[in-house]
Structures are given as structure tokens and as C-alpha cells.
Amino acid sequence: MCSQVPAVAYPPPVQLIVQFLEQASKPSVNEQNQVQPPPDNKRNRILKLLALKVAAHLKWDLDVLEKSLSVPVLNMLLNELLCISKVPSGTKHVDVDLASLPPTTAMAILLYNRWAIRTIVQSSFPVKQVKPGPPQLNVMNQMQQEKELTDNILKVLKEQAADSILVLEGALKLSKDLYVHTIRTLDLLAVEPGMVNGETESSTAGLKISAEEIQCQVCYDLGAIYFQQGSTNAAVHEKAKEMFFKTKELIAKNGSSSLHFTIDEERLAGYCQACGVLTLSSDDTSQQATPYSQIHRCMKSGNYQDIVNIFLEDNLTLSLPVQFRQSVLRELFQKSQQGNDALDEVCFKVCMCNTVCDVLQGRTVDVQFCQLFLKPSKEKIDFLLEVCSKSLNLENASEALKRKMAAFLKNLCLGLEDLQLVFMISSHELFMKLLKDDERKLLIDQMRKRSPRINLCTKPVASFYDIPASASVNIGQLEHQLILSVDPWRIRQILIELHGMTSERQFWTISNKWEVPNVYGNVILGIKDSLTRDLVYILMAKGLHCCAIKDFVHAKQLFAACLELVTEFSPKLRQVMLNEMLLLDIYTHEAGPGASGERPPSDLISRVRGYLEMRVPDIPLRQVIAEECVAFLLNWCENEYLTMQVPLPLVQTNPYVKLGQLLAATCKELPGPKESRRTAKDLWEVVVQICSVSNQHKRGNDGRVSLIKHRESTLGIMYRSELLSFIKKLREPLVLTTILSLFVKLHNVREDIVNDIAAEHISIWPSSIPNLQSVDFEAVAVTVKELVSYALTINANNHFWLIIQADIYFATNQYSAALHYYLQAGAVCSDFFNKMVPPDVYTDQVIKRMIKCCSLLNCHTQVAILCQFLREVDYKTAFKALQEQNSHDAMDSYYEYIWDVTILEYLTYLHHKRGETDKRQIAIKAIGQTELNASNPEDVLQLAAQRRKKKFLQAMAKLYF
């Protein structure tokens, strides 16, 4: 039987406190409908007592209470504690002698003032903002009210902070134990006064808190408030330090486990450390200076050399965190950059100490070390070796540490080009001890490969300056320069030098970033002369890369040099370069003058037409150039050329030209829908074919026949992905609207479609498809979404595109997002609703969809208001919505936006029927406004309606934007 009883989920204790106090503090309404403060009756007193009992169950632990209760609730709870503990109301706590009060009364005053100080300190810390949920006006209002209440309480607490500090300082003088209320003592207090035997005030009642525990808690809280005040008064840090160190002494004396109230010892240690740094004094010998305080003193006094010594010592102990080390180095770098040149050497030395520390702890070498070692010198190597020697105690160091240091020194040798500096490291005592004989031999072999005349013996070599640099080093440096350079003449010079050094390498292969289209690569790699081949390939690859990253200036220089070079020997490559320079000029214009609406020069338009009409045989062509040329002509409304002048063979052979011609013809004839239907039908058929899938039947092992759909069909003139890529090169609004309208219509043709999407010019497209099953409607839906998103990046204020986006969200049940875009569409065409929204934007269909969105979001008052926007007010829907009591909007706050008297009269009746007097009064106030009087002229009524429409839509926009 017991196993069948369901488990009951009880609320946590702190939640009970909130519920009890919330019920006890509910205001009442008198017969005149006036709001009265909560009555002091038996019910409310019992609820407050229950809240105090829950807190007593939690042993008045402020850590628990502060973590779970808001400031207003905890303020109410502690005030009730003061009240029940017989603290005289209106008396300042600072004027009361704690020693003369009953123990529980003194403890209540102490608890309240400790909380006040802790709350002030806590309010000074940054708080991570809670991520807001869906916008709801009633929730937002509650949060705002609670925030205002909290701010008011904090303001009062801060004004009384000095008194609270004095109360706590007075508590430090107490020598007697105190008692805090328990459930039992609270029960005794609830008994009638005549029946109380005085036990609640005696020294034996309640939970005993020793004087030392009280002092420990009070010292900690006083230290925290002193530390906070120290930001404006440095002298107060001394008092904070005294309090925190006294807290540590008391914890050490009594043990943390004996404390009734807990103290965060990690935070306490942090406070002590910070105070030790902030309260530096030359005669302070009571506490041993920590590395933090020493570094702080050095930074303050400008004694930077001592910082280096501290860091050197810490490389053995590794007590300083790496983040602290880096922050010190950053501060030194900042001081150096502000003009203190003497710090350059200090920055280098601190960086060396940090680097060796990183090496010993297995971290990667910082980039700052590499930057400072770009120009190594004898002095720098000397100091680095000193740091390495002092940071590693060879007698006690583990094998792992020795291996890390040895690897670092080996890599340092291999990275240095100056052989004299290499010898300084290899002949150092530490190096000799860390590397075994076989490791040293291997390193010597590696160094010999770099130069045949290196001698890494233990004795100094007579002179290093006559040793020539190796050819491999020079080739590597030149290859590095070749990769970085974008100067065509420097590239040519480097390649000549490289080919002079070796004829075995193909230098166009040294970087995997150099990519040339395959149609060009075959021609270029057919060049017999290796130098010319490398030069042409690299110039073109670098030019294409610069073009891709929009560095058009360097791209033009590289292409011009390449054109000049290939003109001498290859007409085919010359035409290739002319084509690429045309594409570059298109990109340059579109990113520059074209972006601000300036038409391209006639010369560029002529070159684009010339490319499309070009009939030179055997010229390798990139499809993207034809694509960009057609998009360019459409973007600059060259519809006449595309429809009338483009050669017919070109239309038949180039799919982009055909698509461009159909788009141009449809756009050209759009003002007359009847005439445009013929070209629109041709464009429709082409797009439908592109979006169709080829179906194949396949017989399985079980004999059944299954249908296979190939998503990327070859039935059309191009793939759907290619069409989408082409459309995303278009910017002309009419062209985008036309293609968007076509896809919306195609989406709506689907048999199982529930909610149509609206679009401009949708009537020009055919209303049916012969073979409906062949169309991949899933791909069409995805394409519509992508096209609308792209179109809105071109013009985010096109209200027809915004309506399409809203309809898409509506069709996919994303009602909040749909409302956002419906409202945005109205806002952009009405100066944020200061003018009337055009009726062709907010059609009845759009308003009905907004109504449905609000209804499904449970915002029923918004539904009723929107019903007024329809050409014929939908009273049935409005009344049904107003009957809903579980509404997630601002409800009666919206009544001021209702102008239809019938709806207001229904609201008055509804609230009277429910007994909701206050809401009925709001509805009566709204209906009583003179501008809504039915006998007013029509223009006055229209003006009243328009004013309310404007305010309501602006309120909705603030909610959903």
C-alpha cells in the first residue's frame, strides 16, 4: 500500500517564507474601492509567525537566506523579527545598549544590522543579468516594481550604513553569549501576554551563540564594509585588515567547525591577501610580506629591478599564478609604451622569467618572447641563460623538468642564425649538464646540415664571421618573402634569384593557398619555361586571392603584370587575363561607387556585353564570369539589352543568359500584368524544372519497388544550388521581388499547404503545375526562406519582404517571430506608426494572422484590440477573447487603446459579472472619454481611433522588437 502512494513534492523552506509573507502583506480594498494596507489581524500575524519559524528552522543563516530571498522579502522578514523581539519601533539601533537588552532582542538587532552591511557590500559587486524570457508586460512590470523597491531599500540602508557600522562595532565589546529565536521560543511569544512566563527573555531560551562566534562573524562583516569603503578612503583599508586578521585568529582559535554561522574561508584569505597588498608600510613587521605585496610595492615605488628578482625567485617556488605574471608584464608594457624607455629592458627580463616559468610548467612559449627575440644579442642570451640556471635546481629537479629545459635550449639553438650566439648556449654549463652525449652529437649534426663550417666543440672557435650562410637558409628566406609579397616586380625578382640557385624546384607549389581554377591551370602548366610558368601561376593565384579578400588595388597590379607578361607569347592566356580583369572591374565598381547607387561607366557595360557575345574558340572560360556579367546587367536595369539585343545562340548555350533574359522580360512588362503573363509563364516553367526531381524506381531484395528521388536534378538548365547562388548576386529590388514572388507562388501551389504566403505580383504566375509530384517542395520551402533572408540584407525596410518573412514564421508556427515582422512591416512604412499604415500592407488577412498569433500566445486583450483593425469589427472573436481569464498580456492596461464602444460596454458588463470592481472602473473610465461619444462627427471618431491605433501598435512594437 505504501509503495502505491505518490511522493509529494514539498516546497523548499525559503519558498514557504516567500509565500507566507506574500499572503500576509496583500493589500485590502474597502467598500469605497480604495486600496488599504494589509490589516493587522490574527490571520496575518499567524502567517508572519510561520515565516519566522521557517527562518528559525534554518537557524537564521544569512548565507542561505540571502541566496534564496530577494532584498524586499528579507527586509520584511527581519523587520518582523525585530518587532516580535520587542525592539522599540522608531528607536535608532545605535542609541540602544546591546549589553542591557535581553539576549534574543540584542541578537535580532545584530542580525538586522549584519544583513544591512552585507547587503550594501553585495550590491557593489557586478551582477550577471538574467536572460529575459518571452516579453510579457505584466511580468516586466512586476520585475520593475521589485527593482524599484530593492533600490529604495538599498538607498535607506546606505543612508543608515554609518549607524549599522557603529552597532556592529559596539557588538565587538559584548562579553556575554547571545540567543537567537527558535521555533519553541517563537511559539511562546505567540501565547497571550498574560501567559508568558518570561522564559523567552531569559538567558536559557533560544539557540545559544557564543560571544566568540558573534565576534568572528561581526569582524568579518565589518572587514567587508571597510574594504568596500577603502576604494574612496585608502586609510580604511587598515581597519579592514585588522578585522580580517582578527577573524582568522578567531577561526584558528575555535575551529571553523564550531562556528554556528559559516564564513567563506577562501574569500577571507583573498581579503587578507588584498589587504596585505593595499596596506603597505615600511615598519610593518608583524606579517611577512607576500610576493603580491612586494610586487605591488615595487610597482608603486618604481623599483622595477626588484620585480625581476621576485620573479626569478618564484621560478623555483612557482607560487604566483600565470595570470598574475602576465598582468604584471602587460602593465609594464603599457608604461613602456607611454614613453618610459628605461622599462624596455625590464619588460624583456620579466618576459624571460615568465617564458622559463612556462617552459617548466609545460605551457607553450608566449608570442611576446618570440617578438622580443626577433633581434637576439649577447646580453639577451646571457640573461636568458642566467634565468634558466636560477630557475632549475639540478640536484633536486625531476627528470621531467630537466627534459623540458633541455628541449627549450635545443629549440633555441636551432632557431638562432647567429652562430656565435649558438655557441654561447651550447658551451654553457647548464646546457652541458642537461644534454647527454648522443643528444649533443645529434644537435651538432643538425647544425652542420645548416652550414658545413659550424664547429660546436666545447672550446671557442677563433672567428664565426667568415662562415657563409647556407644556400638552404637563403632559399627558405626567399620562399618566405615570395609567399608574403604582393608586389609583382618583387615577385619576379625573387623568382629569378630562386631559379638562379636551383632548377629542381617548382616554386608555384610552395604554398597551398595558391589556387588557380583547373580550366586555367592546364594552360599555365603547359608553359615550357619553368621561370615563366612559376611567375604566371603565382601572379594569377595571388591576384585571385586578393580579389577574394576584396584587396582590389593589389589584385589589379598583379593582373596587369600578368597580362603584360602573357601578351608576349600566348593570345589564349591574354584573353583569360582580360576576362579576369573584367570580373575584377565589376567587383571594384560594385564594392565602391555602385554600392552608393552610382551607375557604372558605359565602357564597363560595353565590356560586359562584349564578354557575353565573345566567340573566340578554345578560350578557357570560368562560369562565374558569365554569372557575374548577367547579374551586373540585371542590377543596373539593362533589360533592353537582355530582352532585345542579346544574340539568340548565346541564350541557347548559356543558362545564366537565358535566365537573365526571362527575368528582364518579366520585370520589363510587370506594370501590365496581362501582357507579362507570357514571359512570366516561360520563367515559371524554367524555375519549376530546376526545382523538379527525377524519380527512379528500384526493385529491392524483397521484390518491392521503392521510389528514389534525386534532389539535385539535371532536368533544368542549372542546379537549384546554382540558381540560388546566382540570385544572391542580385540587388535590384524589382528583380528580387519578381523571383521571390515566383518562389512564393510555387510554395503555395503545394496541395497540403495550410497557410499561404502573400507576395507582390503573385497573380502573374500560373496557378497549377501539370506534374505536381515531380516538384521538390521541401527544397522550394528552404529556398523561399533563404531568398527572403537575403533580400532583407539588401533592404531591411521593404515592407512587402517583411510581410513574406512574417508569413513564413506564421506558417511554421513561430508566432512571436511572426508578430515581430508584421509589426516591423507596419513600422517601416508609417514612420513608426506616427502615420497611418497603408491598407495594402495591413490587409484583413495580415490583421487576422496577427490576431491568431496573439491568441496562440495567450495575449487575449491584444486579440480584442486587433479585432477593431478589421474593415468590419469581429465582435465574436473579440468577446470570446475577453472571456479568457488566463491572459499573458497587460489586460486592463490596454483598455485605453480600445475605441469601439461596443467592446468597452461588453468589458464593463463582463467585469461587473465577475465582481472585478477595479477593472470595471478602468473600462468605465475608457468609455467615458468625450472623443468616443457616438454623436461626435465622423472625422473626430476617426481621429480618436487613429490615435489609439498608433499608441497600441507602438506599445506592441516595444514588446516584440
Side-chain angles (χ1 to χ4, degrees):
M1 287 293 290
C2 292
S3 62
Q4 295 177 358
V5 176
V8 179
Y10 294 106
V14 286
Q15 187 60 37
L16 288 173
I17 294 176
V18 174
Q19 290 174 1
F20 290 147
L21 291 179
E22 200 174 71
Q23 292 297 319
S25 59
K26 272 192 175 179
S28 60
V29 180
N30 62 14
E31 294 177 357
Q32 288 79 31
N33 278 339
Q34 294 175 330
V35 178
Q36 300 291 322
D40 185 20
N41 53 28
K42 186 176 181 181
R43 171 187 174 274
N44 287 348
R45 286 196 295 273
I46 290 172
L47 286 168
K48 292 174 184 177
L49 185 64
L50 286 171
L52 291 171
K53 285 183 177 182
V54 176
H57 168 72
L58 296 172
K59 298 183 179 179
W60 300 100
D61 190 336
L62 285 180
D63 286 331
V64 175
L65 295 173
E66 287 170 340
K67 186 177 180 181
S68 307
L69 298 178
S70 64
V71 170
V73 172
L74 194 45
N75 179 58
M76 191 187 308
L77 179 73
L78 292 175
N79 274 296
E80 287 302 323
L81 175 66
L82 292 173
C83 182
I84 205 167
S85 300
K86 300 180 182 177
V87 177
S89 60
T91 305
K92 284 190 174 183
H93 296 172
V94 71
D95 297 334
V96 177
D97 181 14
L98 294 178
S100 64
L101 293 174
T104 50
T105 307
M107 193 65 199
I109 292 175
L110 202 55
L111 260 177
Y112 178 84
N113 286 281
R114 278 189 59 222
W115 167 76
I117 291 302
R118 289 161 66 104
T119 304
I120 294 168
V121 172
Q122 193 63 33
S123 69
S124 66
F125 298 149
V127 179
K128 183 179 179 182
Q129 293 296 323
V130 179
K131 187 177 180 181
Q136 297 179 10
L137 280 181
N138 53 345
V139 176
M140 290 165 66
N141 288 340
Q142 287 177 6
M143 291 172 63
Q144 183 63 28
Q145 287 172 6
E146 185 171 322
K147 184 179 182 300
E148 289 174 2
L149 190 57
T150 302
D151 291 343
N152 290 335
I153 293 170
L154 276 172
K155 184 180 177 183
V156 173
L157 293 180
K158 287 175 181 177
E159 288 171 355
Q160 299 174 353
D163 288 352
S164 293
I165 291 172
L166 288 173
V167 170
L168 296 187
E169 287 175 344
L172 293 177
K173 300 172 185 176
L174 289 174
S175 57
K176 66 175 184 177
D177 299 337
L178 295 183
Y179 292 81
V180 67
H181 279 300
T182 60
I183 295 175
R184 176 172 169 272
T185 59
L186 290 170
D187 278 333
L188 289 171
L189 285 170
V191 180
E192 293 297 324
M195 298 174 66
V196 177
N197 59 7
E199 187 182 1
T200 54
E201 295 182 6
S202 73
S203 59
T204 60
L207 180 66
K208 179 180 175 181
I209 312 294
S210 70
E212 287 181 337
E213 285 181 272
I214 293 169
Q215 283 194 358
C216 188
Q217 285 291 330
V218 170
C219 283
Y220 181 76
D221 293 334
L222 279 173
I225 191 68
Y226 290 152
F227 190 86
Q228 186 217 21
Q229 293 176 343
S231 60
T232 55
N233 182 5
V236 184
H237 279 138
E238 286 289 351
K239 295 172 75 175
K241 179 180 178 181
E242 181 186 347
M243 290 295 110
F244 286 133
F245 278 92
K246 190 172 181 181
T247 305
K248 283 185 72 174
E249 289 173 12
L250 288 167
I251 291 176
K253 179 181 176 183
N254 301 308
S256 57
S257 59
S258 67
L259 289 175
H260 171 64
F261 300 110
T262 56
I263 288 177
D264 187 342
E265 292 190 48
E266 285 187 10
R267 184 178 283 266
L268 174 62
Y271 272 132
C272 291
Q273 201 168 62
C275 289
V277 170
L278 294 169
T279 56
L280 298 172
S281 58
S282 56
D283 59 342
D284 186 8
T285 55
S286 60
Q287 298 291 335
Q288 186 178 359
T290 64
Y292 295 100
S293 59
Q294 291 173 349
I295 291 170
H296 184 75
R297 185 188 295 118
C298 293
M299 293 291 283
K300 204 169 181 180
S301 63
N303 187 6
Y304 300 116
Q305 186 54 48
D306 280 1
I307 295 177
V308 178
N309 297 333
I310 294 167
F311 273 38
L312 267 174
E313 291 172 11
D314 189 71
N315 275 12
L316 280 171
T317 59
L318 300 177
S319 62
L320 293 174
V322 62
Q323 295 84 358
F324 179 74
R325 283 172 161 269
Q326 290 169 350
S327 69
V328 171
L329 182 56
R330 276 195 300 272
E331 190 172 343
L332 290 170
F333 269 124
Q334 287 172 358
K335 289 178 182 288
S336 173
Q337 289 165 1
Q338 290 168 1
N340 192 344
D341 296 334
L343 281 179
D344 288 347
E345 184 182 353
V346 176
C347 289
F348 168 78
K349 289 183 176 181
V350 171
C351 183
M352 294 304 104
C353 294
N354 283 356
T355 301
V356 173
C357 179
D358 288 340
V359 167
L360 293 174
Q361 292 186 296
R363 290 188 293 271
T364 55
V365 175
D366 196 77
V367 68
Q368 288 171 331
F369 171 80
C370 302
Q371 289 173 340
L372 291 171
F373 240 82
L374 285 175
K375 295 180 179 179
S377 63
K378 182 179 181 299
E379 291 75 17
K380 288 182 177 180
I381 297 292
D382 268 337
F383 182 76
L384 179 60
L385 290 170
E386 180 189 347
V387 174
C388 292
S389 301
K390 290 183 177 180
S391 302
L392 191 69
N393 187 339
L394 287 173
E395 293 179 3
N396 302 323
S398 65
E399 286 301 317
L401 284 178
K402 291 178 182 178
R403 282 197 300 272
K404 289 173 184 174
M405 183 65 80
F408 171 65
L409 293 175
K410 278 168 61 180
N411 290 332
L412 193 62
C413 285
L414 291 169
L416 290 171
E417 294 180 7
D418 189 332
L419 301 176
Q420 200 169 15
L421 300 179
V422 172
F423 177 73
M424 284 178 63
I425 299 171
S426 64
S427 59
H428 193 273
E429 182 183 3
L430 179 65
F431 185 89
M432 305 287 284
K433 288 181 178 178
L434 288 175
L435 268 75
K436 298 175 183 176
D437 290 341
D438 55 344
E439 290 177 314
R440 290 182 60 233
K441 286 177 183 178
L442 181 61
L443 180 62
I444 290 170
D445 290 340
Q446 289 175 317
M447 300 299 291
R448 278 176 178 160
K449 287 177 184 177
R450 287 179 20 174
S451 174
R453 295 185 61 182
I454 292 180
N455 182 9
L456 284 181
C457 60
T458 55
K459 295 179 181 178
V461 177
S463 176
F464 287 82
Y465 297 105
D466 58 345
I467 300 175
S470 69
S472 61
V473 171
N474 284 341
I475 289 174
Q477 290 174 344
L478 287 171
E479 286 178 347
H480 184 65
Q481 291 176 27
L482 184 63
I483 291 170
L484 296 179
S485 180
V486 287
D487 179 0
W489 304 112
R490 178 63 185 145
I491 292 169
R492 184 172 189 160
Q493 183 183 1
I494 292 170
L495 280 172
I496 291 171
E497 289 184 45
L498 286 170
H499 277 271
M501 291 181 177
T502 177
S503 58
E504 298 174 359
R505 297 283 301 275
Q506 292 181 327
F507 293 102
W508 62 270
T509 63
I510 63 173
S511 173
N512 58 3
K513 300 291 184 184
W514 293 343
E515 295 178 357
V516 167
N518 291 333
V519 289
Y520 298 161
N522 296 332
V523 180
I524 296 171
L525 297 180
I527 300 172
K528 292 181 180 178
D529 181 64
S530 59
L531 173 58
T532 306
R533 180 173 61 242
D534 285 343
L535 185 54
V536 171
Y537 190 98
I538 292 169
L539 288 174
M540 180 177 281
K542 283 178 172 286
L544 290 170
H545 175 70
C546 288
C547 198
I549 62 173
K550 301 189 187 312
D551 183 2
F552 300 129
V553 175
H554 283 121
K556 191 150 193 170
Q557 292 174 1
L558 291 159
F559 281 167
C562 193
L563 175 63
E564 183 181 346
L565 177 64
V566 298
T567 301
E568 299 173 2
F569 65 89
S570 175
K572 188 183 291 187
L573 284 175
R574 177 181 178 277
Q575 189 58 54
V576 165
M577 291 314 303
L578 287 172
N579 296 343
E580 289 297 330
M581 291 187 77
L582 169 63
L583 181 60
L584 174 61
D585 288 342
I586 291 173
Y587 285 153
T588 305
H589 180 268
E590 296 293 82
S596 55
E598 184 180 326
R599 278 192 64 80
S602 56
D603 171 60
L604 181 56
I605 295 173
S606 299
R607 287 168 59 201
V608 169
R609 293 179 180 180
Y611 174 82
L612 292 174
E613 297 169 12
M614 182 177 61
R615 285 293 172 271
V616 181
D618 300 328
I619 298 295
L621 300 173
R622 280 212 293 161
Q623 189 69 51
V624 68
I625 303 179
E627 196 179 338
E628 290 288 353
C629 285
V630 175
F632 178 82
L633 292 173
L634 284 169
N635 284 334
W636 295 106
C637 300
E638 291 292 320
N639 296 340
E640 193 69 33
Y641 171 77
L642 285 170
T643 53
M644 305 295 292
Q645 299 173 27
V646 68
L648 184 60
L650 184 59
V651 177
Q652 294 170 343
T653 56
N654 193 315
Y656 293 103
V657 174
K658 181 175 182 179
L659 184 64
Q661 185 186 61
L662 291 171
L663 267 171
T666 306
C667 292
K668 185 180 174 185
E669 297 173 359
L670 264 182
K674 291 182 180 178
E675 292 80 6
S676 65
R677 297 209 177 202
R678 181 181 181 85
T679 53
K681 184 182 178 186
D682 294 339
L683 179 59
W684 169 269
E685 289 174 352
V686 166
V687 173
V688 167
Q689 210 170 21
I690 291 171
C691 293
S692 295
V693 291
S694 59
N695 298 334
Q696 292 181 3
H697 296 274
K698 181 181 179 182
R699 189 173 297 277
N701 294 331
D702 57 356
R704 295 182 181 179
V705 176
S706 59
L707 185 66
I708 302 171
K709 284 191 173 183
H710 294 278
R711 294 290 178 192
E712 285 289 357
S713 168
T714 56
L715 295 176
I717 59 173
M718 62 180 71
Y719 290 115
R720 185 183 64 86
S721 57
E722 292 174 332
L723 173 62
L724 190 59
S725 173
F726 172 72
I727 295 171
K728 288 185 178 180
K729 298 180 190 298
L730 302 174
R731 290 196 331 272
E732 210 284 318
L734 185 57
V735 178
L736 281 173
T737 298
T738 303
I739 197 72
L740 197 50
S741 171
L742 188 155
F743 271 99
V744 166
K745 180 65 176 182
L746 188 55
H747 174 273
N748 291 345
V749 168
R750 186 173 180 170
E751 288 178 340
D752 58 345
I753 196 74
V754 178
N755 296 305
D756 281 358
I757 300 173
E760 281 186 284
H761 314 302
I762 204 162
S763 61
I764 67 171
W765 311 109
S767 56
S768 61
I769 300 173
N771 189 7
L772 202 62
Q773 290 76 19
S774 66
V775 179
D776 186 354
F777 282 108
E778 291 179 17
V780 170
V782 171
T783 306
V784 171
K785 291 177 185 176
E786 287 195 48
L787 289 184
V788 177
S789 299
Y790 168 70
L792 289 173
T793 63
I794 301 299
N795 181 7
N797 293 328
N798 187 307
H799 48 269
F800 289 116
W801 296 348
L802 289 166
I803 292 289
I804 295 173
Q805 181 72 84
D807 281 350
I808 290 170
Y809 281 123
F810 181 80
T812 53
N813 304 328
Q814 299 178 68
Y815 302 113
S816 182
L819 272 174
H820 169 92
Y821 281 99
Y822 284 133
L823 289 164
Q824 192 173 342
V828 298
C829 62
S830 64
D831 190 20
F832 197 68
F833 305 111
N834 285 306
K835 300 173 185 174
M836 195 172 81
V837 180
D840 61 334
V841 177
Y842 275 1
T843 61
D844 269 10
Q845 179 180 330
V846 170
I847 297 297
K848 285 177 180 177
R849 290 190 172 186
M850 291 173 73
I851 289 170
K852 187 172 180 182
C853 287
C854 292
S855 177
L856 291 168
L857 291 170
N858 288 330
C859 298
H860 301 296
T861 318
Q862 295 172 9
V863 169
I865 295 172
L866 284 170
C867 284
Q868 304 172 108
F869 283 63
L870 296 167
R871 286 196 179 94
E872 293 185 9
V873 181
D874 186 353
Y875 291 114
K876 182 180 177 182
T877 304
F879 292 167
K880 185 179 178 183
L882 292 172
Q883 288 170 10
E884 296 284 347
Q885 289 186 291
N886 184 25
S887 188
H888 292 173
D889 56 23
M891 300 178 71
D892 49 338
S893 299
Y894 280 138
Y895 291 176
E896 61 180 300
Y897 304 133
I898 302 175
W899 65 88
D900 188 281
V901 176
T902 306
I903 294 177
L904 286 169
E905 288 174 344
Y906 180 76
L907 272 171
T908 308
Y909 157 76
L910 194 65
H911 290 314
H912 176 72
K913 183 181 175 182
R914 292 175 180 167
E916 297 169 342
T917 314
D918 51 345
K919 293 183 179 180
R920 179 173 173 268
Q921 289 297 324
I922 295 170
I924 291 172
K925 183 181 177 183
I927 204 173
Q929 297 180 72
T930 54
E931 59 185 355
L932 296 184
N933 194 317
S935 60
N936 284 338
E938 186 63 26
D939 58 339
V940 174
L941 293 173
Q942 287 293 331
L943 188 63
Q946 189 56 39
R947 188 180 296 118
R948 283 160 176 76
K949 279 184 182 180
K950 165 192 164 182
K951 289 182 178 178
F952 173 68
L953 290 171
Q954 286 176 343
M956 288 280 282
K958 289 177 184 175
L959 195 60
Y960 288 100
F961 279 8

